[in-house]
DNA sequence: GCTAGAGGTTGACGTAGCGTCAATGTCAAC
DNA sequence: GTTGACATTGACGCTACGTCAACCTCTAGC
């Protein structure tokens, strides 16, 4: 007693293409194949199919399903294993959702987040108290959400870029090049590009020139750009660029 | 002022392969291509890359990213749109997690859930009160989680299979065939296969024979199998099969 | 016996976003 | 001149099938 492929597909709520695919993958063979090549499935095959579909609906991949069914692996163990992956996936999703929400708020807040972002690129936790003091605990939390939503590699890449830029500035300052020369202009462009990669940063020249003043005024920035001389050089280069 | 492909890749925390891929997709062209075919990227390209990677990390696909950047679509609108999808995905995950957890408990609970599953295949909500009365509110909640974790199509397919089986039983009973004949045996096999597709269902013949008695004893089952005569026929067929 | 129509078969391409060879050219350094 | 690092352009691989395409097969009606 068996039925042709479409009947079985209808009974199980799937398609004949899927059944053929399972046949190709060795996951579910027809119980009988006619002389004309037609596939027929019996009750046993249908039962097996139901199990396959059940496990598939739980999110398992075909190799994992084959493992469970053919090697008689323990369903509960395999499912618990799968559950762990589902939870991880969920956490990843949660982080991503938080990150997207934070970004949307940034975009809507406009300039409000600029200084906060300035800190984000550097050590980040180093300025926690000050950020909270100036812009509130909420601002720090948002910044933190954005930062922590990045993977370790991404954070590393980000920091690498920031420190590379800073090092180049410092080097240029030490070599005593012309702050209004071509090399300095190139550095300014990199600096602006970096700032521009952060959503919510204003694009006006006033902002960048003002930033240069801030680098000189605030010792912590000076430290990043090779001392006060470096910060001064950055300021001059920015000013020359936008003059 | 530009840099070769690997430098840009390192600066942005990605790979040269990815940059070439973006070039192929028209998402990010090199600012300059040497006579030897080497790709070079300038500050503008790097900025664009940073933006691409940022959006990518937020989970957007490459076409969506191109849409935002090239057509100057509104970032916030696109992201809110994306956020909706993320929430949907999360809900799907939550349902799947609940479903897997319910299944694990079923597998571990063994036979305890069998009668509950019997109801699941039918209308489900129709028996809510009785299920809660017999097996507790918790049991109903679990059953509900399993059932509602299925997509509408899956539920339809499931119900279709159940009613098809029931209709075939009813038809066979009306035609007055032999409950111990081949046709009846085939129906029994389908019935057993259906029950077997539910994890946690016992496989003993005693269980199936007892089930036949229950079909006769309980009017609601009789209704599904074409009246009392139908239920009686099912019971007899099951008994004959396992005798 | 013929024909239409429904349903079966085996390829083979498409999907998202690159990773990963493979075969080969280029450039800086020793 | 050679070596080693880095560049290029194909092209396959991965998940689980959907979707043609080209070509049989079976059933039913005339």
């Amino acid at each position: 007693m068996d039925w042709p492929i479409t009947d079985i597909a209808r009974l199980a709520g799937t398609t004949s293409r899927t059944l053929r695919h399972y046949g190709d993958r060795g996951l579910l063979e027809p119980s009988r194949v006619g002389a004309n090549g037609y596939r027929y499935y019996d009750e046993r095959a249908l039962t097996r199919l139901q199990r396959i579909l059940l496990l598939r609906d739980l999110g398992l991949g075909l190799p994992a399903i084959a493992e469970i069914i053919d090697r008689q692996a323990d369903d509960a163990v395999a499912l618990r294993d799968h559950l762990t992956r589902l939870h991880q996936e969920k956490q990843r999703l949660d982080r991503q959702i938080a990150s997207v929400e934070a970004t949307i708020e940034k975009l809507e807040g406009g300039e409000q987040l600029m200084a906060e972002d300035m800190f984000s690129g550097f050590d980040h936790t180093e300025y926690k108290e000050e950020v909270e003091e100036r812009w509130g605990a909420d601002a720090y939390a948002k910044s933190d959400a954005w930062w922590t939503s990045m993977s370790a590699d991404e954070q590393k890449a980000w920091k690498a870029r920031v420190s590379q830029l800073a090092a180049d500035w410092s080097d240029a300052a030490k070599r005593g090049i012309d702050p209004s020369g071509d090399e300095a202009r190139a550095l300014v462009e990199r600096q602006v590009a970096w700032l521009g990669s952060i959503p919510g940063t204003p694009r006006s020249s006033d902002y960048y020139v003002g930033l240069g003043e801030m680098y000189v005024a605030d010792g912590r920035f000076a430290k990043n750009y090779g001392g006060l001389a470096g910060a001064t050089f950055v300021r001059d280069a920015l000013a020359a660029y936008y003059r």
Side-chain angles (χ1 to χ4, degrees), chain A residues 48-70:
Chain A
R48 186 181 169 101
L49 175 57
Q50 294 276 354
R51 231 181 130 203
I52 291 171
L53 295 179
L54 180 81
L55 292 171
R56 190 194 63 171
D57 291 341
L58 293 180
L60 290 172
L62 300 192
I65 293 175
E67 178 90 7
I68 292 177
I69 297 189
D70 286 329

Side-chain angles (χ1 to χ4, degrees), chain A residues 112-123:
Chain A
Q112 289 185 328
L113 299 171
M114 63 185 187
E116 174 192 349
D117 281 328
M118 289 301 308
F119 288 105
S120 297
F122 295 92
D123 183 335

Side-chain angles (χ1 to χ4, degrees), chain A residues 5-156:
Chain A
I5 194 165
T6 37
D7 287 14
I8 292 294
R10 248 199 314 276
L11 278 173
T14 183
T15 69
S16 59
R17 176 67 179 88
T18 298
L19 292 180
R20 248 174 275 124
H21 183 57
Y22 291 167
D24 291 344
R25 299 288 306 263
L27 198 55
L28 177 69
E29 304 290 353
S31 57
R32 180 169 71 87
V33 177
N36 50 16
Y38 281 27
R39 295 169 171 80
Y40 297 93
Y41 300 82
D42 62 10
E43 203 63 46
R44 275 172 51 83
L46 179 53
T47 301
R48 186 181 169 101
L49 175 57
Q50 294 276 354
R51 231 181 130 203
I52 291 171
L53 295 179
L54 180 81
L55 292 171
R56 190 194 63 171
D57 291 341
L58 293 180
L60 290 172
L62 300 192
I65 293 175
E67 178 90 7
I68 292 177
I69 297 189
D70 286 329
R71 307 214 202 156
Q72 311 205 320
D74 188 335
D75 298 38
V77 170
L79 283 179
R80 235 191 301 279
D81 204 48
H82 182 52
L83 193 56
T84 303
R85 270 171 293 162
L86 286 177
H87 277 300
Q88 287 173 353
E89 180 68 7
K90 187 187 166 180
Q91 285 179 15
R92 199 185 60 76
L93 249 185
D94 282 337
R95 286 207 318 262
Q96 199 165 81
I97 286 174
S99 180
V100 171
E101 284 173 344
T103 304
I104 289 175
E105 286 191 40
K106 262 187 213 179
L107 289 173
E108 294 180 339
E111 294 192 347
Q112 289 185 328
L113 299 171
M114 63 185 187
E116 174 192 349
D117 281 328
M118 289 301 308
F119 288 105
S120 297
F122 295 92
D123 183 335
H124 181 70
T125 57
E126 192 179 335
Y127 306 110
K128 176 175 179 180
E129 288 176 16
E130 178 163 1
V131 169
E132 287 188 339
E133 191 180 310
R134 284 199 194 171
W135 299 284
D138 194 45
Y140 178 78
K142 279 179 206 158
S143 163
D144 192 62
W146 170 72
W147 178 249
T148 56
S149 77
M150 291 197 268
S151 74
D153 275 358
E154 290 159 355
Q155 292 186 349
K156 224 172 99 186

